[in-house]
Amino acid sequence: MARLAEDFCYDIAIVGGGATGLGVALDAAARGLKVVLVESHDFAKGTSSRATKLVHGGVRYLAQGNIALVREALHERTTLLHNAPHLAQPLAFVVPAYHWWEIPYYGAGLTAYDLLAGQARLGKTAFLGHNATRELLPGVMPTGLVGGVKYWDGQFDDARLALALARTAATKGALLVNYCQTIDLLYQCGQVSGLTCEDTLTGKAYTVRARCVVNATGVWVDALREKDGVANAKDGRHPTKPMVAPSQGVHIVVDREFLGGNTGLMVPKTADGRVLFAVPWLGKVILGTTDTPRHDLPREPLAFEQEVSFILEESARYLRKAPARSDIRSIWVGLRPLVKPQDDDGEETKGLSREHTVLVSRSGLVTVTGGKWTTYRAMAEDVLDRCFAKGLLEKRAKGVTAHLAVVGAEADASVRKPMSELPGLHAYGSEGVLVQLLPGADHWLSAGLSEAMVRFAARHEYAVTVEDMLARRSRLLFLDARLAIALAPQVGELLREETGLDPQVAAFTALAQQYLYVANKNT
Ligand SMILES: Cc1cc2nc3c(=O)[nH]c(=O)nc-3n(C[C@H](O)[C@H](O)[C@H](O)COP(=O)(O)OP(=O)(O)OC[C@H]3O[C@@H](n4cnc5c(N)ncnc54)[C@H](O)[C@@H]3O)c2cc1C
């Protein structure tokens, strides 16, 4: 906060600390630019901690014929697995087949997916018989099962990757501040020249000067665009049209036994034509997701009853033991920032790919949204390209992040464990040894969560509240909300001891009840 208060003009100020903003911060800092990023809540508190955890090319975009997009994502998949091996790993998936024609049909598509990956291929697509399918998916519904198709993608820990990006950017000189909300934009001669922000923990206001401001606020981008539109309104009219049409996706977490094994299950077409995944993750199974339009932008969206029914009913068709509402360990919802086609203030809208969009307003505010976690690095390059093209920054060569390992990546490969396994010290990669040096290294609060990890989070990972710790440094809230509630007071005491700040235990407990919402409501 002392650095933020200094009178300094940054090259680039980024609003929003999700995958998109953090990706831009890292790329810009790695190119030697002076970078500041402000996040109103915690890093990855928005959509970026609520993904299905897949590092993927997007099989369904292939079905839509969007070859360029799939190729780019497959390339980025490899880059991510390489640069953050402790947080992102390959995962085999099986598409179970209940009609004989499904094997050649899905097999052909997935072989094409393989071929498109070229050098980036993670493993060969394989056709499986009944027994081999059941071996990989012990929990699959055996009745009527003909066989399956195995293919490869990746999986990751989204919130921990976000933290790793933030901390890697910090090692390159960037200043990143969580709990600091952008309130307004500053202008000089009609051009954006910085922003004002407020420390949400103390209420203190700050002024940040920057040559370029990037709005990377996910589904919330229109709030800042609206302010920019009002500031630039001619004749009292501000023509800013909303850019985002949010859509929510629900995930249900159940015990590992429902799926068994270390292989994901993918249903390419559910009864109503959607895609459904069952993904083994950190010792549990994630079931999801849905795609439901929303007209509001809640910070903590709740699942609709019909979304829960959909996931459970579809899962029951493919799993031997059907999960019930009472089996839900946690339920969480993310908002997709889907971009509406439009033009911005008469300027050409430039969709740099069909997935994400970068707009530069008349006053020079750069807005980026859409896309997916997997392609955050390519998105960051697109954003900086646009800043250079518009003359907001002097051009610097791209590609610096292509081989840039994130904090913790240099670990000995022997300490790695599959992401599907229980969480633990391995998630810290080469930093595991540092965690072990802190008090409480052998004091386990629950499986995979030690006292030392809480201290490490407070000292090195920007954690302030119990929610920061139990939702995003450890993923316990997303895995088992009831257990997270039980541990909250203990974790709160450790955080208070480390930071001297209020760890907000009661607020966390109230929030975590929502992650139990459906289970509570129906049991
Ligand atoms: C259900 C679902 C499943 C998904 N699954 C996958 C997947 O498996 N693989 C994949 O690759 N992608 C997946 N995605 C997509 C991916 O999660 C998103 O594309 C990505 O997380 C978006 O990141 P973002 O940084 O743009 O937005 P966010 O993560 O929402 O970040 C925006 C940030 O801006 C902050 N902010 C807002 N207003 C202000 C302000 N005034 N001042 C300061 N900060 C502010 C917010 O607090 C927030 O943290 C999924 C998305 C959803 C919804």
Side-chain angles (χ1 to χ4, degrees):
M1 299 320 286
R3 255 178 90 188
L4 194 66
E6 284 169 13
D7 184 22
F8 183 77
C9 185
Y10 291 91
D11 291 319
I12 182 164
I14 299 152
V15 187
T20 308
L22 292 168
V24 176
L26 178 55
D27 198 339
R31 294 195 211 196
L33 294 167
K34 303 277 176 276
V35 179
V36 62
L37 179 149
V38 288
E39 160 57 49
S40 57
H41 294 68
D42 184 25
F43 303 118
K45 158 80 179 176
T47 306
S48 296
S49 56
R50 301 152 193 267
T52 312
K53 323 300 180 204
L54 306 178
V55 188
H56 61 160
V59 181
R60 92 190 132 102
Y61 304 113
L62 187 64
Q64 292 163 2
N66 200 339
I67 308 283
L69 184 66
V70 177
R71 203 193 290 270
E72 178 186 61
L74 287 170
H75 176 78
E76 289 304 317
R77 181 182 75 176
T78 311
T79 306
L80 179 48
L81 297 183
H82 192 259
N83 290 339
H86 54 313
L87 295 171
Q89 288 151 13
L91 179 72
F93 285 83
V94 170
V95 177
Y98 291 88
H99 302 282
W100 68 265
W101 57 266
E102 286 176 335
I103 299 182
Y105 181 72
Y106 293 126
L110 290 164
T111 303
Y113 189 61
D114 233 16
L115 291 174
L116 257 188
Q119 299 275 41
R121 191 171 87 170
L122 299 174
K124 206 163 178 282
T125 295
F127 296 77
L128 309 175
H130 176 99
N131 290 347
T133 303
R134 288 190 68 186
E135 217 165 279
L136 289 177
L137 298 176
V140 76
M141 173 67 83
T143 318
L145 182 75
V146 185
V149 183
K150 177 169 117 174
Y151 74 99
W152 287 84
D153 251 325
Q155 71 172 161
F156 72 128
D157 184 335
D158 48 6
R160 285 204 66 83
L161 181 64
L163 268 175
L165 296 182
R167 295 181 58 223
T168 311
T171 66
K172 302 279 172 200
L175 172 63
L176 302 105
V177 188
N178 57 355
Y179 294 106
C180 190
Q181 180 170 11
T182 295
I183 304 296
D184 221 335
L185 296 166
L186 300 173
Y187 293 88
Q188 219 172 20
C189 307
Q191 291 297 293
V192 175
S193 60
L195 53 87
T196 58
C197 52
E198 186 182 289
D199 179 341
T200 61
L201 300 174
T202 63
K204 191 169 171 204
Y206 295 81
T207 297
V208 176
R209 289 187 297 126
R211 294 163 61 206
C212 174
V213 175
V214 175
N215 173 12
T217 51
V219 287
W220 297 278
V221 284
D222 286 325
L224 213 54
R225 291 180 66 247
E226 176 76 15
K227 283 185 198 291
D228 185 49
V230 171
N232 286 287
K234 287 199 172 132
D235 312 324
R237 287 175 28 232
H238 60 93
T240 312
K241 292 186 215 143
M243 183 175 171
V244 168
S247 148
Q248 83 171 19
V250 173
H251 298 94
I252 285 175
V253 173
V254 295
D255 285 341
R256 183 70 171 276
E257 293 65 50
F258 283 95
L259 183 63
N262 274 332
T263 305
L265 185 158
M266 197 268 244
V267 177
K269 209 165 180 184
T270 57
D272 61 353
R274 289 187 258 182
V275 176
L276 184 85
F277 287 99
V279 186
W281 188 68
L282 300 180
K284 300 275 185 211
V285 175
I286 301 172
L287 303 172
T289 177
T290 56
D291 202 337
T292 313
R294 276 202 86 121
H295 303 292
D296 54 352
L297 294 169
R299 278 279 160 189
E300 285 288 347
L302 291 175
F304 296 113
E305 266 311 304
Q306 61 270 31
E307 292 181 291
V308 178
S309 302
F310 165 77
I311 294 175
L312 292 177
E313 280 161 20
E314 284 298 324
S315 302
R317 292 178 58 201
Y318 295 94
L319 297 179
R320 189 157 38 97
K321 186 174 169 222
R325 280 176 165 73
S326 54
D327 294 313
I328 297 173
R329 296 282 180 195
S330 181
I331 179 161
W332 31 278
V333 183
L335 297 179
R336 287 181 196 86
L338 298 183
V339 181
K340 296 190 213 175
Q342 58 145 0
D343 58 1
D344 192 37
D345 292 359
E347 191 192 303
E348 181 204 355
T349 299
K350 185 129 179 175
L352 287 168
S353 88
R354 263 173 274 180
E355 269 269 89
H356 66 269
T357 299
V358 184
L359 291 177
V360 184
S361 76
R362 197 189 288 130
S363 62
L365 176 69
V366 181
T367 297
V368 52
T369 196
K372 57 181 175 212
W373 236 121
T374 308
T375 52
Y376 80 90
R377 201 197 65 83
M379 285 168 69
E381 289 194 336
D382 286 347
V383 169
L384 291 178
D385 275 352
R386 204 74 202 288
C387 296
F388 300 139
K390 285 281 172 186
L392 299 169
L393 296 169
E394 283 102 48
K395 192 166 177 164
R396 304 205 180 190
K398 69 159 87 173
V400 283
T401 51
H403 301 287
L404 182 66
V406 304
V407 162
E410 306 82 17
D412 177 351
S414 65
V415 302
R416 276 182 214 136
K417 280 195 187 166
M419 189 110 302
S420 51
E421 293 294 328
L422 279 173
L425 207 57
H426 52 274
Y428 293 76
S430 56
E431 293 195 314
V433 287
L434 301 179
V435 177
Q436 288 307 87
L437 292 176
L438 297 182
D442 297 322
H443 177 207
W444 294 93
L445 307 177
S446 76
L449 175 63
S450 70
E451 178 186 323
M453 289 174 178
V454 181
R455 296 190 188 281
F456 188 80
R459 293 185 198 185
H460 303 291
E461 296 182 326
Y462 304 89
V464 180
T465 68
V466 172
E467 185 196 329
D468 297 344
M469 183 65 220
L470 291 180
R472 292 172 291 275
R473 279 35 169 206
S474 134
R475 307 310 306 276
L476 199 59
L477 177 64
F478 286 71
L479 295 168
D480 189 336
R482 215 176 293 276
L483 184 56
I485 292 171
L487 292 182
Q490 226 180 329
V491 169
E493 273 322 300
L494 289 168
L495 286 173
R496 192 192 299 278
E497 198 184 306
E498 288 287 332
T499 66
L501 298 170
D502 175 10
Q504 302 177 19
V505 178
F508 174 75
T509 307
L511 172 70
Q513 292 293 340
Q514 285 190 22
Y515 286 62
L516 287 173
Y517 176 66
V518 175
N520 280 345
K521 207 171 145 184
N522 293 283
T523 52

